[in-house]
mmCIF file of all heavy atoms in Angstrom:
data_model
loop_
_atom_site.group_PDB
_atom_site.id
_atom_site.type_symbol
_atom_site.label_atom_id
_atom_site.label_comp_id
_atom_site.label_asym_id
_atom_site.label_seq_id
_atom_site.Cartn_x
_atom_site.Cartn_y
_atom_site.Cartn_z
ATOM 1 N N ASN A 379 1.663 -21.524 -15.930
ATOM 2 C CA ASN A 379 0.623 -20.606 -16.346
ATOM 3 C C ASN A 379 0.938 -19.944 -17.666
ATOM 4 O O ASN A 379 0.021 -19.351 -18.257
ATOM 5 C CB ASN A 379 0.400 -19.500 -15.297
ATOM 6 C CG ASN A 379 -0.964 -18.883 -15.344
ATOM 7 O OD1 ASN A 379 -1.995 -19.677 -15.197
ATOM 8 N ND2 ASN A 379 -1.054 -17.633 -15.542
ATOM 9 N N GLY A 380 2.107 -20.121 -18.128
ATOM 10 C CA GLY A 380 2.514 -19.522 -19.435
ATOM 11 C C GLY A 380 3.875 -18.883 -19.288
ATOM 12 O O GLY A 380 4.279 -18.392 -18.254
ATOM 13 N N ASP A 381 4.566 -18.754 -20.397
ATOM 14 C CA ASP A 381 5.896 -18.137 -20.441
ATOM 15 C C ASP A 381 6.115 -17.262 -21.613
ATOM 16 O O ASP A 381 5.185 -17.019 -22.368
ATOM 17 C CB ASP A 381 7.055 -19.239 -20.350
ATOM 18 C CG ASP A 381 6.990 -20.135 -21.637
ATOM 19 O OD1 ASP A 381 5.986 -20.131 -22.390
ATOM 20 O OD2 ASP A 381 7.951 -20.885 -21.865
ATOM 21 N N GLY A 382 7.308 -16.658 -21.734
ATOM 22 C CA GLY A 382 7.584 -15.816 -22.878
ATOM 23 C C GLY A 382 6.718 -14.549 -22.843
ATOM 24 O O GLY A 382 6.588 -13.874 -21.848
ATOM 25 N N ASP A 383 6.126 -14.275 -24.043
ATOM 26 C CA ASP A 383 5.310 -13.080 -24.166
ATOM 27 C C ASP A 383 3.836 -13.426 -23.993
ATOM 28 O O ASP A 383 2.971 -12.492 -24.169
ATOM 29 C CB ASP A 383 5.489 -12.469 -25.585
ATOM 30 C CG ASP A 383 6.892 -11.957 -25.756
ATOM 31 O OD1 ASP A 383 7.510 -11.489 -24.818
ATOM 32 O OD2 ASP A 383 7.428 -12.001 -26.930
ATOM 33 N N SER A 384 3.459 -14.557 -23.535
ATOM 34 C CA SER A 384 2.034 -14.951 -23.364
ATOM 35 C C SER A 384 1.507 -14.186 -22.160
ATOM 36 O O SER A 384 2.241 -13.797 -21.266
ATOM 37 C CB SER A 384 1.928 -16.448 -23.177
ATOM 38 O OG SER A 384 2.453 -16.811 -21.919
ATOM 39 N N ALA A 385 0.174 -14.011 -22.191
ATOM 40 C CA ALA A 385 -0.519 -13.336 -21.060
ATOM 41 C C ALA A 385 -0.286 -14.105 -19.740
ATOM 42 O O ALA A 385 -0.195 -13.467 -18.708
ATOM 43 C CB ALA A 385 -2.005 -13.199 -21.398
ATOM 44 N N GLY A 386 -0.202 -15.385 -19.849
ATOM 45 C CA GLY A 386 -0.079 -16.237 -18.655
ATOM 46 C C GLY A 386 1.261 -16.024 -17.936
ATOM 47 O O GLY A 386 1.435 -16.527 -16.789
ATOM 48 N N ALA A 387 2.222 -15.375 -18.601
ATOM 49 C CA ALA A 387 3.550 -15.153 -18.028
ATOM 50 C C ALA A 387 3.589 -14.059 -16.984
ATOM 51 O O ALA A 387 4.542 -13.916 -16.194
ATOM 52 C CB ALA A 387 4.571 -14.850 -19.087
ATOM 53 N N CYS A 388 2.494 -13.190 -16.913
ATOM 54 C CA CYS A 388 2.442 -12.200 -15.945
ATOM 55 C C CYS A 388 2.550 -12.709 -14.557
ATOM 56 O O CYS A 388 1.806 -13.606 -14.219
ATOM 57 C CB CYS A 388 1.211 -11.302 -16.134
ATOM 58 S SG CYS A 388 1.050 -9.961 -14.959
ATOM 59 N N MET A 389 3.418 -12.216 -13.721
ATOM 60 C CA MET A 389 3.699 -12.740 -12.404
ATOM 61 C C MET A 389 2.445 -12.568 -11.511
ATOM 62 O O MET A 389 1.762 -11.577 -11.603
ATOM 63 C CB MET A 389 4.964 -12.166 -11.773
ATOM 64 C CG MET A 389 5.401 -12.787 -10.458
ATOM 65 S SD MET A 389 5.357 -14.619 -10.463
ATOM 66 C CE MET A 389 6.638 -14.970 -11.620
ATOM 67 N N VAL A 390 2.298 -13.523 -10.591
ATOM 68 C CA VAL A 390 1.254 -13.373 -9.594
ATOM 69 C C VAL A 390 1.525 -12.141 -8.722
ATOM 70 O O VAL A 390 2.625 -11.621 -8.647
ATOM 71 C CB VAL A 390 1.192 -14.641 -8.669
ATOM 72 C CG1 VAL A 390 0.719 -15.840 -9.481
ATOM 73 C CG2 VAL A 390 2.558 -14.939 -8.019
ATOM 74 N N HIS A 391 0.505 -11.702 -8.088
ATOM 75 C CA HIS A 391 0.500 -10.434 -7.197
ATOM 76 C C HIS A 391 0.738 -9.195 -8.049
ATOM 77 O O HIS A 391 1.152 -8.164 -7.527
ATOM 78 C CB HIS A 391 1.524 -10.560 -6.143
ATOM 79 C CG HIS A 391 1.208 -11.653 -5.054
ATOM 80 N ND1 HIS A 391 1.498 -11.467 -3.707
ATOM 81 C CD2 HIS A 391 0.617 -12.855 -5.208
ATOM 82 C CE1 HIS A 391 1.043 -12.565 -3.107
ATOM 83 N NE2 HIS A 391 0.563 -13.387 -4.012
ATOM 84 N N ASN A 392 0.423 -9.322 -9.371
ATOM 85 C CA ASN A 392 0.510 -8.172 -10.287
ATOM 86 C C ASN A 392 -0.846 -7.756 -10.710
ATOM 87 O O ASN A 392 -1.693 -8.649 -10.969
ATOM 88 C CB ASN A 392 1.371 -8.604 -11.489
ATOM 89 C CG ASN A 392 1.658 -7.477 -12.428
ATOM 90 O OD1 ASN A 392 0.746 -6.907 -13.054
ATOM 91 N ND2 ASN A 392 2.941 -7.174 -12.657
ATOM 92 N N PRO A 393 -1.149 -6.469 -10.902
ATOM 93 C CA PRO A 393 -2.507 -6.025 -11.221
ATOM 94 C C PRO A 393 -2.969 -6.544 -12.582
ATOM 95 O O PRO A 393 -4.155 -6.531 -12.913
ATOM 96 C CB PRO A 393 -2.411 -4.506 -11.217
ATOM 97 C CG PRO A 393 -1.251 -4.194 -10.333
ATOM 98 C CD PRO A 393 -0.294 -5.300 -10.483
ATOM 99 N N ALA A 394 -2.022 -6.968 -13.420
ATOM 100 C CA ALA A 394 -2.353 -7.413 -14.807
ATOM 101 C C ALA A 394 -2.445 -8.941 -14.848
ATOM 102 O O ALA A 394 -2.707 -9.502 -15.926
ATOM 103 C CB ALA A 394 -1.266 -6.946 -15.787
ATOM 104 N N TYR A 395 -2.327 -9.654 -13.744
ATOM 105 C CA TYR A 395 -2.329 -11.113 -13.805
ATOM 106 C C TYR A 395 -3.714 -11.668 -13.948
ATOM 107 O O TYR A 395 -4.675 -11.118 -13.552
ATOM 108 C CB TYR A 395 -1.797 -11.644 -12.428
ATOM 109 C CG TYR A 395 -2.029 -13.110 -12.228
ATOM 110 C CD1 TYR A 395 -1.167 -14.039 -12.711
ATOM 111 C CD2 TYR A 395 -3.199 -13.558 -11.587
ATOM 112 C CE1 TYR A 395 -1.415 -15.434 -12.594
ATOM 113 C CE2 TYR A 395 -3.478 -14.937 -11.458
ATOM 114 C CZ TYR A 395 -2.608 -15.822 -11.941
ATOM 115 O OH TYR A 395 -2.849 -17.150 -11.790
ATOM 116 N N ASP A 396 -3.755 -12.842 -14.693
ATOM 117 C CA ASP A 396 -5.012 -13.650 -14.736
ATOM 118 C C ASP A 396 -4.655 -15.103 -14.860
ATOM 119 O O ASP A 396 -3.681 -15.441 -15.551
ATOM 120 C CB ASP A 396 -5.899 -13.245 -15.904
ATOM 121 C CG ASP A 396 -7.273 -13.859 -15.890
ATOM 122 O OD1 ASP A 396 -7.811 -14.033 -14.763
ATOM 123 O OD2 ASP A 396 -7.855 -14.117 -16.968
ATOM 124 N N PHE A 397 -5.371 -15.968 -14.252
ATOM 125 C CA PHE A 397 -5.192 -17.415 -14.310
ATOM 126 C C PHE A 397 -5.450 -17.864 -15.768
ATOM 127 O O PHE A 397 -6.358 -17.363 -16.426
ATOM 128 C CB PHE A 397 -6.162 -18.090 -13.371
ATOM 129 C CG PHE A 397 -6.016 -19.623 -13.375
ATOM 130 C CD1 PHE A 397 -5.089 -20.256 -12.559
ATOM 131 C CD2 PHE A 397 -6.880 -20.378 -14.149
ATOM 132 C CE1 PHE A 397 -5.012 -21.625 -12.542
ATOM 133 C CE2 PHE A 397 -6.761 -21.744 -14.151
ATOM 134 C CZ PHE A 397 -5.800 -22.397 -13.364
ATOM 135 N N ASN A 398 -4.667 -18.805 -16.221
ATOM 136 C CA ASN A 398 -4.746 -19.325 -17.560
ATOM 137 C C ASN A 398 -5.835 -20.419 -17.632
ATOM 138 O O ASN A 398 -5.704 -21.455 -17.108
ATOM 139 C CB ASN A 398 -3.436 -19.877 -18.054
ATOM 140 C CG ASN A 398 -3.423 -20.123 -19.519
ATOM 141 O OD1 ASN A 398 -4.397 -20.485 -20.112
ATOM 142 N ND2 ASN A 398 -2.215 -19.989 -20.159
ATOM 143 N N ASP A 399 -6.934 -20.102 -18.305
ATOM 144 C CA ASP A 399 -8.052 -21.055 -18.326
ATOM 145 C C ASP A 399 -7.747 -22.324 -19.071
ATOM 146 O O ASP A 399 -8.443 -23.355 -18.881
ATOM 147 C CB ASP A 399 -9.280 -20.379 -18.980
ATOM 148 C CG ASP A 399 -9.972 -19.342 -18.053
ATOM 149 O OD1 ASP A 399 -9.932 -19.611 -16.832
ATOM 150 O OD2 ASP A 399 -10.549 -18.388 -18.575
ATOM 151 N N ASP A 400 -6.714 -22.331 -19.865
ATOM 152 C CA ASP A 400 -6.310 -23.573 -20.561
ATOM 153 C C ASP A 400 -5.821 -24.632 -19.553
ATOM 154 O O ASP A 400 -5.709 -25.759 -19.887
ATOM 155 C CB ASP A 400 -5.164 -23.289 -21.550
ATOM 156 C CG ASP A 400 -5.670 -22.528 -22.806
ATOM 157 O OD1 ASP A 400 -6.853 -22.534 -23.030
ATOM 158 O OD2 ASP A 400 -4.849 -21.906 -23.456
ATOM 159 N N ASN A 401 -5.570 -24.213 -18.319
ATOM 160 C CA ASN A 401 -5.131 -25.138 -17.275
ATOM 161 C C ASN A 401 -6.268 -25.834 -16.554
ATOM 162 O O ASN A 401 -6.014 -26.745 -15.769
ATOM 163 C CB ASN A 401 -4.223 -24.391 -16.276
ATOM 164 C CG ASN A 401 -2.786 -24.271 -16.749
ATOM 165 O OD1 ASN A 401 -2.336 -25.127 -17.559
ATOM 166 N ND2 ASN A 401 -2.122 -23.367 -16.223
ATOM 167 N N LEU A 402 -7.437 -25.332 -16.719
ATOM 168 C CA LEU A 402 -8.575 -25.939 -15.903
ATOM 169 C C LEU A 402 -8.762 -27.357 -16.180
ATOM 170 O O LEU A 402 -8.889 -28.177 -15.213
ATOM 171 C CB LEU A 402 -9.898 -25.133 -16.182
ATOM 172 C CG LEU A 402 -9.976 -23.826 -15.464
ATOM 173 C CD1 LEU A 402 -11.234 -23.008 -15.916
ATOM 174 C CD2 LEU A 402 -10.103 -24.066 -13.911
ATOM 175 N N ALA A 403 -8.890 -27.802 -17.430
ATOM 176 C CA ALA A 403 -9.086 -29.196 -17.714
ATOM 177 C C ALA A 403 -7.931 -30.067 -17.221
ATOM 178 O O ALA A 403 -8.111 -31.174 -16.687
ATOM 179 C CB ALA A 403 -9.380 -29.444 -19.163
ATOM 180 N N LEU A 404 -6.728 -29.593 -17.492
ATOM 181 C CA LEU A 404 -5.510 -30.309 -17.142
ATOM 182 C C LEU A 404 -5.394 -30.470 -15.621
ATOM 183 O O LEU A 404 -5.123 -31.525 -15.126
ATOM 184 C CB LEU A 404 -4.278 -29.639 -17.690
ATOM 185 C CG LEU A 404 -2.934 -30.243 -17.309
ATOM 186 C CD1 LEU A 404 -2.818 -31.715 -17.704
ATOM 187 C CD2 LEU A 404 -1.774 -29.421 -17.897
ATOM 188 N N GLY A 405 -5.607 -29.308 -14.887
ATOM 189 C CA GLY A 405 -5.539 -29.435 -13.427
ATOM 190 C C GLY A 405 -6.574 -30.349 -12.843
ATOM 191 O O GLY A 405 -6.318 -31.183 -11.986
ATOM 192 N N ALA A 406 -7.813 -30.291 -13.417
ATOM 193 C CA ALA A 406 -8.879 -31.175 -12.969
ATOM 194 C C ALA A 406 -8.553 -32.656 -13.269
ATOM 195 O O ALA A 406 -8.773 -33.518 -12.404
ATOM 196 C CB ALA A 406 -10.190 -30.760 -13.566
ATOM 197 N N ALA A 407 -8.051 -32.914 -14.433
ATOM 198 C CA ALA A 407 -7.743 -34.268 -14.827
ATOM 199 C C ALA A 407 -6.620 -34.834 -13.905
ATOM 200 O O ALA A 407 -6.652 -36.003 -13.549
ATOM 201 C CB ALA A 407 -7.304 -34.311 -16.296
ATOM 202 N N TYR A 408 -5.664 -33.944 -13.587
ATOM 203 C CA TYR A 408 -4.607 -34.384 -12.665
ATOM 204 C C TYR A 408 -5.177 -34.785 -11.354
ATOM 205 O O TYR A 408 -4.786 -35.911 -10.818
ATOM 206 C CB TYR A 408 -3.515 -33.309 -12.477
ATOM 207 C CG TYR A 408 -2.369 -33.786 -11.553
ATOM 208 C CD1 TYR A 408 -1.346 -34.545 -12.139
ATOM 209 C CD2 TYR A 408 -2.393 -33.478 -10.228
ATOM 210 C CE1 TYR A 408 -0.331 -34.981 -11.287
ATOM 211 C CE2 TYR A 408 -1.428 -34.019 -9.414
ATOM 212 C CZ TYR A 408 -0.350 -34.704 -9.966
ATOM 213 O OH TYR A 408 0.646 -35.159 -9.138
ATOM 214 N N TRP A 409 -6.035 -34.018 -10.809
ATOM 215 C CA TRP A 409 -6.625 -34.319 -9.485
ATOM 216 C C TRP A 409 -7.477 -35.611 -9.584
ATOM 217 O O TRP A 409 -7.423 -36.451 -8.688
ATOM 218 C CB TRP A 409 -7.489 -33.148 -8.954
ATOM 219 C CG TRP A 409 -6.741 -32.057 -8.389
ATOM 220 C CD1 TRP A 409 -7.133 -30.736 -8.533
ATOM 221 C CD2 TRP A 409 -5.587 -32.056 -7.585
ATOM 222 N NE1 TRP A 409 -6.149 -29.922 -7.888
ATOM 223 C CE2 TRP A 409 -5.237 -30.713 -7.275
ATOM 224 C CE3 TRP A 409 -4.723 -33.002 -7.124
ATOM 225 C CZ2 TRP A 409 -4.119 -30.324 -6.511
ATOM 226 C CZ3 TRP A 409 -3.583 -32.706 -6.349
ATOM 227 C CH2 TRP A 409 -3.277 -31.382 -6.086
#
Side-chain angles (χ1 to χ4, degrees):
N379 204 58
D381 62 346
D383 295 328
S384 69
C388 179
M389 186 47 65
V390 294
H391 293 216
N392 184 299
Y395 167 86
D396 191 32
F397 180 86
N398 193 329
D399 285 330
D400 289 341
N401 278 334
L402 279 173
L404 175 57
Y408 181 83
W409 285 142

